[in-house]
Amino acid sequence: MGNKNGSPRRGLAIGCGGTLGAAWIVAALAATRDVLDWDPREADVLIGTSAGAEMMTMLGSGIGVDELVAMQRGTTTNPILLAHMRSEPGRFPPLPRPRLGSLRLPLRRTESGQALLTAGSGLLPVGGGDPSWLQHLAERLNPGRSWVPHPATWLVAMDYATGERVAFGSPDAPEATLGEALRASWAVPGWFPPVPIAGRRFIDGGAGSTASVDLLIPEKLDEVVLLAPMASTGKIPATGPGHFVERRMRNRMSAELDAEVAQLRAVGTKVLRVDATAEDLAVMGPNFMDGRRRRDTFERSLRSTRRALEQGAIV
């Protein structure tokens, strides 16, 4: 394996995480670039879920790490990024629509570690949030184009009827515009409405898997760098009532990600995994959409992810 120049074929996978997860991810991307001496935009495959899809939309469009850091710090001069940061979805979802999201999904049988999370997403009401801020990002970064310039940028969403995860932009995925795929990948159940694509409805890919790294198995990559703010290595106990639901979700997502990483390693792909520590979570709090904690989360992640990368290894 390897590229034509002999370097290893490396993928970048970024998981879901909401507003605070996005801040954590940008810091992790800066640490990845510095510690590995590697520009994440040069990954052979970019696969992102929800907030990760948002980051991949920007990376795949040519936005560099320094620009993403400036965006998080509020110092960007890029009008597209500036407008995007001013359009955060808010701490709490708007009133949902008076109907359940998907009655078929809870009846689906699954062996996944996230079975309850996946099924439960169908029982939530249809979200009433406005995802136009994501549509605007996609369109403004790529005027006149239906997808990003990077040749292998995949945005993961989940079929709301079957639970199937679909990586839009991959060879076998239904055709979708960048805006459709990004909105679908970010369509948090109960917060944003599902997105119709090719006669099907799609929601946040995080309802099926936090990062979907197993979808990279057919690519036969040499290495994968995995950034996953909604997963942690080992179970992290709740430190208060507000953390109980978040920890339950995190533990299920983490177990599913453990299994996916094992599958990827079993076919010979080395993985460097960076996820959220207990100290990160203490700063982030239980609500990952709470933008008031964004700056503190970003600054904390700059330190913690760099330390994890310096101490870690691709195995």
Side-chain angles (χ1 to χ4, degrees), residues 39 61 68 84 97 107 149 232 235 240 308 310:
D39 187 336
S61 300
L68 295 177
H84 184 65
R97 300 172 187 177
L107 301 177
S232 296
K235 290 186 177 182
E310 288 173 344

Side-chain angles (χ1 to χ4, degrees), residues 102-287:
S102 173
L103 292 176
R104 289 180 57 188
L105 195 59
L107 301 177
R108 170 183 167 269
R109 295 185 63 183
T110 177
E111 302 298 325
S112 131
Q114 284 191 216
L116 291 178
L117 178 59
T118 300
S121 66
L123 297 176
L124 292 171
V126 173
D130 179 5
S132 60
W133 60 294
L134 298 167
Q135 184 73 31
H136 293 157
L137 177 70
E139 293 175 349
R140 291 167 181 169
L141 286 177
N142 299 278
R145 297 180 61 102
S146 62
W147 205 254
V148 299
H150 188 288
T153 300
W154 301 358
L155 311 185
V156 181
M158 191 184 82
D159 187 305
Y160 212 10
T162 67
E164 176 191 1
R165 290 170 291 138
V166 173
F168 290 104
S170 66
D172 298 327
E175 186 173 347
T177 66
L178 180 63
E180 289 172 335
L182 179 56
R183 286 188 288 111
S185 188
W186 234 108
V188 180
W191 198 305
F192 294 108
V195 178
I197 299 174
R200 300 157 68 181
R201 294 189 307 156
F202 290 90
I203 62 167
D204 192 323
S209 167
T210 190
S212 287
V213 291
D214 57 320
L215 299 185
L216 292 173
I217 289 174
E219 294 300 299
K220 297 181 171 60
L221 296 166
D222 298 298
E223 302 172 354
V224 169
V225 175
L226 167 60
L227 309 178
M230 279 297 292
S232 296
T233 302
K235 290 186 177 182
I236 299 178
T239 54
H243 289 274
F244 180 75
V245 173
E246 191 275 337
R247 292 296 190 272
R248 295 276 300 217
M249 290 177 56
R250 175 172 298 276
N251 290 340
R252 292 184 183 279
M253 287 180 164
S254 300
E256 181 70 14
L257 187 60
D258 292 344
E260 292 175 7
V261 169
Q263 292 176 52
L264 203 54
R265 286 172 173 160
V267 298
T269 300
K270 298 178 180 179
V271 180
L272 176 55
R273 171 176 169 175
V274 181
D275 52 31
T277 66
E279 291 77 16
D280 292 338
L281 298 177
V283 174
M284 298 166 91
N287 181 2

